[in-house]
Amino acid sequence: MALTLTGLRQRVYIGGVINNTPDNLVQWIVSPQRFSPRTAMPTTGISEAEARHLAAYLNEQ
């Protein structure tokens, strides 16, 4: 089963572990292991500013 990010803004949790808020999404994008050390989400290496743009885009989908 493929996972999709469509409808992310309607989800209660990000990565199944933290409340879905704009700030939490930014922090998850920047450093997902901070919230879930065993997550499959890799460290992206992008800045917080870049993550804010990405989070805004994802919340529009």
Side-chain angles (χ1 to χ4, degrees):
M1 177 175 93
L3 297 177
T4 177
L5 295 174
T6 302
L8 179 66
R9 68 180 164 186
Q10 284 88 22
R11 296 181 191 175
V12 175
Y13 297 105
I14 299 167
V17 296
I18 58 172
N19 290 330
N20 187 0
T21 67
D23 288 335
N24 282 348
L25 181 55
V26 169
Q27 293 307 309
W28 175 265
I29 293 168
V30 172
S31 183
Q33 289 79 19
R34 179 175 145 207
F35 301 99
S36 182
R38 297 180 64 194
T39 184
M41 172 80 171
T43 300
T44 60
I46 66 173
S47 70
E48 187 170 326
E50 292 168 320
R52 288 203 178 280
H53 291 290
L54 182 56
Y57 172 79
L58 291 172
N59 278 316
E60 292 177 7
Q61 301 307 304

